[in-house]
Amino acid sequence: MTTGATVWLTGLPSAGKTTIAYELAGRLRAEGHLVEVLDGDEIREFISAGLGFSREDRHTNVQRIGFLAELLARNGVKALVPVIAPYADSREAVRKRHQEGGAPYIEVHVATPVEVCSVRDVKGLYAKQAAGELSGLTGVDDPYEEPETPDLRIESQHQSVQESAAAVHALLTERGLA
């Protein structure tokens, strides 16, 4: 039986969280691990539909994702979670749930500067915010509380997607999870 774990990739929009998660997922699957990527956009569409982007709704969304990730991790799945989770207290509640349930939890801060994210602008969010068509963009006009002591910090602007995924894989291996 494989050991499950949650790897939560937090960071600003367009930081590279999802891209790194899918690269890591492919590598782990090739090694025979059970892996699920809990993409934040898909979760919002299917599990958290109806939630907005207030602090309370963001917290509820993160807790729902944390519950699902912990459930998967307890059952031998590597749950890769590329979700912004902008508030430290929400992320800490998820970590605590994992500790109480005995499931390994790793927090990875994809620490890409907002200037780099706004150039990448994968979903066009920064352009919409700059044009006044969007407000409440995390890291621009809504808070993002950077993790003070993540298990791993990745500066994606300085390395390839493959190198970023390899760094997470190395940490999983070091902890006996890969």
Side-chain angles (χ1 to χ4, degrees):
M1 178 166 152
T2 65
T3 302
T6 293
V7 178
W8 197 292
L9 297 102
T10 179
L12 296 174
S14 297
K17 301 175 301 295
T18 302
T19 305
I20 294 167
Y22 279 107
E23 179 70 23
L24 178 61
R27 183 170 179 172
L28 290 168
R29 285 186 184 114
E31 296 172 353
H33 297 276
L34 298 173
V35 181
E36 288 295 333
V37 177
L38 302 180
D39 182 279
D41 292 334
E42 292 175 359
I43 297 290
R44 274 203 173 266
E45 182 179 351
F46 296 106
I47 295 177
S48 293
L51 290 179
F53 292 91
S54 68
R55 182 180 179 101
E56 182 178 305
D57 282 357
R58 288 176 192 246
H59 178 78
T60 298
N61 185 50
V62 168
Q63 297 316 298
R64 288 177 182 176
I65 297 167
F67 170 79
L68 184 55
E70 193 264 337
L71 180 67
L72 289 167
R74 273 192 290 123
N75 286 281
V77 177
K78 304 286 188 292
L80 309 182
V81 186
V83 172
I84 296 169
Y87 303 113
D89 60 340
S90 296
R91 293 189 306 267
E92 185 54 36
V94 171
R95 180 185 295 277
K96 185 176 179 185
R97 167 182 283 287
H98 280 72
Q99 288 170 341
E100 290 171 356
Y105 178 85
I106 293 174
E107 182 178 76
V108 177
H109 179 206
V110 183
T112 310
V114 69
E115 299 79 21
V116 174
C117 295
S118 66
V119 169
R120 290 179 181 170
D121 204 9
V122 177
K123 299 175 193 164
L125 298 175
Y126 293 93
K128 287 179 183 177
Q129 192 276 336
E133 300 168 15
L134 175 78
S135 63
L137 182 59
T138 301
V140 178
D141 59 353
D142 208 56
Y144 176 73
E145 299 169 356
E146 289 193 7
E148 293 181 17
T149 56
D151 297 286
L152 178 64
R153 191 177 313 276
I154 292 174
E155 295 182 0
S156 71
Q157 73 278 16
H158 297 306
Q159 59 193 38
S160 69
V161 171
Q162 293 77 18
E163 290 169 328
S164 296
V168 181
H169 189 275
L171 180 59
L172 287 167
T173 300
E174 177 186 306
R175 298 208 179 160
L177 300 169

